[in-house]
Amino acid sequence: MKTISSNLAKSKRGARYDKFTHQFYEVLKAVGGPRVVKFVSANLNGPDIRTVERNARCAKTQKPGFDVDTLKLAGEIYRQAKATHNIEGPVLVEAAEDETVLLKLIHWDQRTDELVGFCGEKGDEHVCQPGFAVVVGNDEDAYQRIEAAFKDCVVGHMARVIMLNPLHPKLPAVAVFLMSTCNRFTHAEVRDQWQQLDDLYNEHLYSAVGPLVSHASDGDSRRRKLMYMYALSEEGVRYTLDHENFTMSCALKERPDGRVFPADLMDQDFIHNGKKLINPLDHASRVLSLGGNAAHMHHLALVVQRFDLVADHHLRREDIQREDRQNWASAQRLMFPKVRECLQKIQNGEVGIPENVVGTMAYLELCWYYVEIFCSFTATLAERVKFASYVVNFLRIWRHWIYLQPGLTLQHNYITRECFQDVLLSCHFAVLLIRAVRDFTPDEDVNLCLTGSDCCEDFFSDNGSFVVNKHNYSFYDMLNNTGVMNRLNQIRVDENAPEIPKKHKKQENIWHKGNPVPQQKPNMRDFPTDEEMVAAWEAGLVMSRSKCRELGMAPDRNGEDDHDPGQDSDDDGDDGGGGDDGDDGGGDDGDNGGGDDDWFSKPHKVTGATEQRLLKEMCSDMCEEVSQPTISDVLGQADPEVLSSLRQQFDSAEGDDRPSTVSSTVTIAGLGSMHKSTLVSQFNGMPDVSKDRLQRVRARQFTKKKYDSNSMEDVTNTVGLFSDCAVYVKDRGLPAKFLLGRVQRIQNTGARGKVEYCKPINLNSTEQYSKVEVHVAMYRQETEHSYKYAFKDVRVFPIHSIIMGISLTYSPESNKYTLDDEDVAKLLEFIHEQDKPARPVARKTTQQMAADGRVVTVVQSGRSGRTRKVVHYI
């Protein structure tokens, strides 16, 4: 306002603006474009658009591959930020990486005279090459180079980015590596890029900010392979937690100044893991089973329906009718403690008929503990170590229980293998990072909430907003936008810089809205000692075993496992004592006895062996190179002679004799000259080259779910979710009977997989639902018309087996249900009709009159279908 008032009496040429005003309009141009700058400047007496564009020219354009200039610029940004915010000493840095889909387009870069967007030459063994570009040149062969490039090179439809993410809230993340890719690269190329990044980082950035200690990803199988190879390695000096149940570690490496810091810490993004943990709740073919208790999204739909006030649970319609499976805010709301409080009231029968939601409560609690490791406002560092141990060991025990349970499979009743492995990596990483900050940078907070690859998602989103707010852009656009983003980072570290817009609301962290936020937050520099960390990990192990025992996921020892969980000691006899640890049943140590209960008492033993075996398998056949259709599949494989000629042309164009001035035109034989950019656009428009519009397509397995007031517990001639029904059962050689149950799921098997039904089905018109199956939790008959809810006995029946909806009266005192007398009469009448013996009924089909007075009747038997003739005389 001071600048505006001082320029009111001045002409446009005589106006002067301070540093903040210039930065404000520079940011405005970057995020809003020239039209927004002109509008704001005209109404607030701001600088001319040409002045703003002149200031913005200092943004350096990113180059493909590792750009040394960008690394040096990042060093300047971090030095300025540390000086501005009085940050002394080293800050631990994480390298985050990810890929995103791009428009499949090639651009000619006038600054370098290169075709940008290719990822390498075609061939059966094509591997994407960082920094690959084709130099056009000014000679008469320029057209042939362009034509040969489109014919013999692969156009990348994705971009791979590596960002440096300092684990400090005042230091921005900077993209230092960009490459166009068709997703044809293996873990070997990733490992080489990691090594190259380490060398360049130590040369240009180590002294400016601190050591590069970890790599972060969001579930890519090639990087997961490398992460497990590093985390389970035993080479060199290992940095770990001294507990036999803690199975991962990292290396210790000497840096350029002679100091030793951790290296090769492996992190999987906790936000991505949190969404992957929530996704199985509404999966069409996956039913999570925790001790026989199902965990499913239908239980959360009950919460929304039975509790009228949103303040009771914070859930929205989009949280249970999930169409965007990457909605992080929605996933967080499902984990809020108030949701579990509502589920507990449903379990207790405080709101409506009680329903078994124990499995859903336990699973959401597990998810909550996992996110609390990184986002908690109340947990101390020692408590976060305990939470990490609880999550790791609960998943291990649950996995073994599923594997040993008859009728259950890991494919259909457990989370995905990738999610299991990523969560284990993430939890071990969090514990090692707490220990590393304590030992090497004790003057800094442990900022677990800043870890992961979410900075890459912000980077991709910001790129979309720079292209007229459309999230479709080419690799060339990304290169240009990255230079602008680095310029914004330079502005952001200024203490008087304008505020930069935040991310989309769906991706924001809302953990504080559903969890208590104390006035005095825990001290993130109150580091636990090694002994306290080991004790916290042990406490998490004991807590996980206690929870699994409560859910029924403990080995059967003829009642010996009913001891007090609080007395459970996990010394396992390692100290030489002869006391029973309460888990092995006979006092034997799992190592000595080798009993069948090791999976519960020492889950790391079995899981650890599996991880070691997996490490060896991963080196051979796991995470094979991704083979996806590329442009080479459309245009055909290039001839070897053409490739050789093309390579010579590229090499000759990339020599030292490259002209200093770049011509914007190219000469085409018989046609004359044409602008290079125009020619490239013509090649981009070839019909054989498909254009990817940045649509992340997911094969939808669900119809659009609509939970409404009529979709649950409606028993009027229909069967719906959580409604009681009677099922017709007829075993061979036995009389017909009916069973009672409560509907848990309704599924239809269609041409594109299974479809989840959430609305009631009319039992009077089941013909259209011939392939529908109903999952029913059975009632166990106690007396003649009294039943008890056996929620773990879930059976699947075809829809035509459902007789009718029924009315049951619940008695909280006896915890039993009584069948309505009218329904009893209807069901008995139905069974009586079914038990009647079927009699053959003759059916007259035709009659004929003969000339001599005979009447010939053709009769068909109702049972066998045979025909016979009956003759009558008149």
Side-chain angles (χ1 to χ4, degrees), residues 315-602:
L315 294 180
R316 303 176 183 177
R317 182 188 304 174
E318 64 186 30
D319 300 335
I320 56 175
Q321 300 177 15
R322 303 182 69 230
E323 298 180 357
D324 181 6
R325 304 180 76 79
Q326 298 299 321
N327 190 334
W328 173 230
S330 175
Q332 292 176 82
R333 282 192 290 270
L334 292 172
M335 304 178 196
F336 284 169
K338 282 196 172 184
V339 176
R340 298 199 304 275
E341 293 175 5
C342 294
L343 288 171
Q344 185 63 58
K345 292 179 180 179
I346 294 176
Q347 177 73 26
N348 298 338
E350 299 179 27
V351 284
I353 299 175
E355 179 59 53
N356 175 42
V357 293
V358 172
T360 303
M361 283 193 296
Y363 187 71
L364 292 179
E365 183 183 43
L366 172 75
C367 299
W368 180 82
Y369 275 125
Y370 175 72
V371 180
E372 274 284 287
I373 299 171
F374 301 90
C375 301
S376 177
F377 294 96
T378 58
T380 63
L381 294 176
E383 289 173 334
R384 294 174 195 241
V385 175
K386 177 182 175 181
F387 295 164
S389 175
Y390 174 82
V391 173
V392 167
N393 289 290
F394 185 96
L395 290 176
R396 286 170 170 172
I397 295 174
W398 180 23
R399 187 173 187 270
H400 294 315
W401 181 83
I402 291 288
Y403 180 78
L404 297 173
Q405 196 70 14
L408 300 181
T409 64
L410 295 174
Q411 181 180 2
H412 297 102
N413 305 108
Y414 190 68
I415 60 177
T416 63
R417 184 196 67 177
E418 292 79 8
C419 181
F420 169 71
Q421 292 177 332
D422 291 349
V423 171
L424 258 61
L425 276 169
S426 179
C427 291
H428 283 81
F429 162 80
V431 176
L432 289 176
L433 182 64
I434 292 173
R435 190 166 184 257
V437 174
R438 182 200 66 188
D439 293 342
F440 299 97
T441 58
D443 295 333
E444 300 296 333
D445 291 345
V446 181
N447 294 295
L448 288 167
C449 60
L450 299 180
T451 61
S453 61
D454 192 54
C455 58
C456 297
E457 300 294 341
D458 294 342
F459 175 77
F460 297 144
S461 179
D462 290 343
N463 265 282
S465 65
F466 282 131
V467 189
V468 201
N469 289 321
K470 295 180 180 179
H471 286 255
N472 50 352
Y473 46 87
S474 66
F475 182 67
Y476 181 73
D477 294 330
M478 178 177 282
L479 292 176
N480 290 332
N481 296 338
T482 304
V484 179
M485 293 181 193
N486 290 335
R487 172 57 184 160
L488 293 182
N489 285 328
Q490 284 183 296
I491 297 175
R492 183 182 284 113
V493 298
D494 193 320
E495 58 182 350
N496 296 320
E499 185 70 20
I500 307 295
K502 302 297 183 183
K503 65 175 71 175
H504 193 277
K505 63 179 181 180
K506 288 186 177 180
Q507 303 303 326
E508 66 179 343
N509 192 329
I510 61 169
W511 201 245
H512 61 282
K513 295 183 179 180
N515 292 275
V517 180
Q519 294 182 351
Q520 185 68 27
K521 295 183 180 180
N523 185 5
M524 290 294 100
R525 300 183 191 179
D526 184 14
F527 301 106
T529 63
D530 282 343
E531 292 76 12
E532 292 172 338
M533 294 183 71
V534 170
W537 188 269
E538 177 69 23
L541 172 60
V542 173
M543 187 171 68
S544 66
R545 286 204 301 255
S546 175
K547 187 65 177 181
C548 290
R549 187 182 295 110
E550 176 186 331
L551 293 170
M553 295 192 296
D556 185 11
R557 302 193 196 89
N558 299 323
E560 293 182 12
D561 59 341
D562 292 329
H563 64 283
D564 181 7
Q567 301 299 322
D568 187 6
S569 171
D570 193 41
D571 58 1
D572 297 315
D574 292 338
D575 58 355
D580 185 1
D581 66 11
D583 282 324
D584 292 300
D588 289 335
D589 172 43
D591 291 331
N592 300 328
D596 294 335
D597 296 345
D598 280 355
W599 64 270
F600 186 78
S601 60
K602 297 182 179 180

Side-chain angles (χ1 to χ4, degrees), residues 726-727 738 740 803-804 806 819 822-832:
V727 184
F738 66 86
L740 305 185
I803 304 173
M804 56 180 285
I806 58 174
L819 184 60
E822 184 178 351
D823 290 340
V824 173
K826 292 180 180 179
L827 292 172
L828 292 178
E829 181 181 357
F830 176 84
I831 296 298
H832 178 70

Side-chain angles (χ1 to χ4, degrees), residues 700 748-755 771:
R700 301 194 61 182
N748 183 23
T749 303
R752 298 183 61 184
K754 293 186 177 181
V755 177
K771 296 184 179 181

Side-chain angles (χ1 to χ4, degrees), residues 663-718:
S663 173
S664 61
T665 62
V666 61
T667 303
I668 306 176
L671 296 178
S673 62
M674 178 182 290
H675 284 281
K676 294 177 180 178
S677 57
T678 304
L679 179 62
V680 171
S681 66
Q682 294 297 318
F683 278 106
N684 281 326
M686 292 174 58
D688 292 335
V689 183
S690 62
K691 293 181 172 60
D692 192 328
R693 297 300 179 187
L694 195 60
Q695 297 295 329
R696 299 178 180 270
V697 180
R698 183 179 67 92
R700 301 194 61 182
Q701 297 176 322
F702 307 98
T703 57
K704 187 174 181 181
K705 302 187 196 64
K706 292 186 178 180
Y707 297 94
D708 50 39
S709 58
N710 296 322
S711 63
M712 322 281 279
E713 304 172 352
D714 188 350
V715 298
T716 306
N717 221 18
T718 61

Side-chain angles (χ1 to χ4, degrees), residues 659-809:
S660 57
T661 59
V662 176
S663 173
S664 61
T665 62
V666 61
T667 303
I668 306 176
L671 296 178
S673 62
M674 178 182 290
H675 284 281
K676 294 177 180 178
S677 57
T678 304
L679 179 62
V680 171
S681 66
Q682 294 297 318
F683 278 106
N684 281 326
M686 292 174 58
D688 292 335
V689 183
S690 62
K691 293 181 172 60
D692 192 328
R693 297 300 179 187
L694 195 60
Q695 297 295 329
R696 299 178 180 270
V697 180
R698 183 179 67 92
R700 301 194 61 182
Q701 297 176 322
F702 307 98
T703 57
K704 187 174 181 181
K705 302 187 196 64
K706 292 186 178 180
Y707 297 94
D708 50 39
S709 58
N710 296 322
S711 63
M712 322 281 279
E713 304 172 352
D714 188 350
V715 298
T716 306
N717 221 18
T718 61
V719 58
L721 292 177
F722 303 108
S723 62
D724 296 323
C725 63
V727 184
Y728 172 70
V729 179
K730 180 68 171 70
D731 296 328
R732 179 174 295 181
L734 297 176
K737 63 178 180 179
F738 66 86
L739 300 176
L740 305 185
R742 187 178 299 175
V743 177
Q744 303 295 311
R745 301 180 73 179
I746 306 174
Q747 289 183 319
N748 183 23
T749 303
R752 298 183 61 184
K754 293 186 177 181
V755 177
E756 198 82 17
Y757 281 15
C758 299
K759 286 190 173 183
I761 292 180
N762 190 346
L763 295 177
N764 293 334
S765 58
T766 58
E767 294 80 7
Q768 59 179 317
Y769 305 111
S770 58
K771 296 184 179 181
V772 170
E773 295 180 337
V774 183
H775 297 242
V776 181
M778 309 308 298
Y779 285 98
R780 184 176 64 249
Q781 189 168 6
E782 298 288 326
T783 60
E784 184 178 4
H785 299 307
S786 179
Y787 298 84
K788 192 169 184 178
Y789 188 33
F791 50 83
K792 290 189 178 183
D793 183 11
V794 180
R795 308 180 193 179
V796 181
F797 299 97
I799 187 63
H800 58 75
S801 296
I802 307 298
I803 304 173
M804 56 180 285
I806 58 174
S807 297
L808 291 171
T809 303

